[in-house]
Amino acid sequence: MTSTNTDPATVSPASRLEAIRARISAAARDAGRRAEEISLIAVSKTFEADAIAPLLDAGQRCFGENRVQEAAGKWPHLRERYSGIELHLIGPLQSNKLNDALDLFDVLHTLDRAKLAEALVKARDAGKRLPRLFLQVNTGEEPQKAGVPPGDVDRFLERCRNDWKLEIEGLMCIPPVTEEPALHFALLEKIARRNGLSKLSMGMSADFETAIRLGATHVRVGSALFGTRG
Ligand SMILES: *Cc1c(COP(=O)(O)O)cnc(C)c1O
């Protein structure tokens, strides 16, 4: 019997990338969508530049990090070596890290509170270029997790538009680990649709195909590309 070896530990980064891209294409096709509608964000958190470079060599340009400080330690050097990198912040952003984050990231997936929106406005007024913005939604209403509760999203988006003049591109969620992710993806899609938002950041290594079926435009894939995090 022939089988494709997809164990991240033993396969080259380029073939892992190729395998994930093929799965994204297949999931898109099954959902009647085009693969080009879906951006693969390679989540490189905890991995050093040495582990990231092979994916850059293989053509990947879109990466996600969850800590500002860690990203600041490796991405400026990688940007000197590779052009066209698009960096996404997918972890929580503390206001005191805002300026560092603005220097580094092209897209912020975790706008989740008025205080951060106001800090972004202040930075913009001071001449800073803002990243593209996604609102994080706490679809599982978990107390320990960041994100706007589902019931508050419409109002928060209204404030973004009217009070802060912040353009929100889409919504992001991280479903509770113990629940069926499809329910959360469907909820996120519904909230986005009724608010006229076209972008959905949802789906990780274990569930990105489900997310694509339910409308994901940005999937955030870490361990399936880089291997298990230490
Ligand atoms: C780590 C992380 C991912 C990637 O998770 P994997 O299961 O390794 O694919 C995606 N999204 C967020 C917000 C993360 O913190």
Side-chain angles (χ1 to χ4, degrees), residues 23 37 81 119 171 186 196:
R23 285 171 61 188
E37 291 170 30
R81 289 165 54 195
L171 304 179

Side-chain angles (χ1 to χ4, degrees), residues 41-45 47 65-66 89-92 109-110 136 172-174 201 203-208 219-225 227 229:
I41 302 172
V43 177
S44 48
K45 66 186 185 197
F47 288 95
E65 291 281 345
N66 70 336
L89 180 57
I90 60 171
H109 289 240
T110 53
Q136 183 175 357
M172 176 270 215
C173 76
I174 309 169
S201 166
M204 316 198 289
S205 290
D207 53 23
F208 67 87
V219 293
R220 312 179 306 264
V221 178
S223 46
L225 278 170
R229 285 180 291 274

Side-chain angles (χ1 to χ4, degrees), residues 13-36:
S15 45
R16 270 179 254 154
L17 180 62
E18 198 181 335
I20 296 292
R21 289 204 172 286
R23 285 171 61 188
I24 289 172
S25 293
R29 197 172 51 239
D30 289 349
R33 306 178 59 200
R34 292 179 307 118
E36 304 83 72

Side-chain angles (χ1 to χ4, degrees), residues 63-65 71 75 79 85-89 104-107:
F63 289 86
E65 291 281 345
W75 283 100
R79 277 192 158 131
I85 289 171
E86 184 179 276
L87 210 51
H88 296 244
L89 180 57
L104 208 54
F105 290 97
D106 304 292
V107 188

Side-chain angles (χ1 to χ4, degrees), residues 62-107:
C62 193
F63 289 86
E65 291 281 345
N66 70 336
R67 288 166 181 273
V68 176
Q69 225 69 329
E70 183 192 333
K74 55 192 180 188
W75 283 100
H77 303 290
L78 286 166
R79 277 192 158 131
E80 285 171 14
R81 289 165 54 195
Y82 299 90
S83 63
I85 289 171
E86 184 179 276
L87 210 51
H88 296 244
L89 180 57
I90 60 171
L93 177 54
Q94 272 94 46
S95 301
N96 63 342
K97 302 270 171 58
L98 181 65
N99 278 321
D100 290 341
L102 294 180
D103 289 339
L104 208 54
F105 290 97
D106 304 292
V107 188

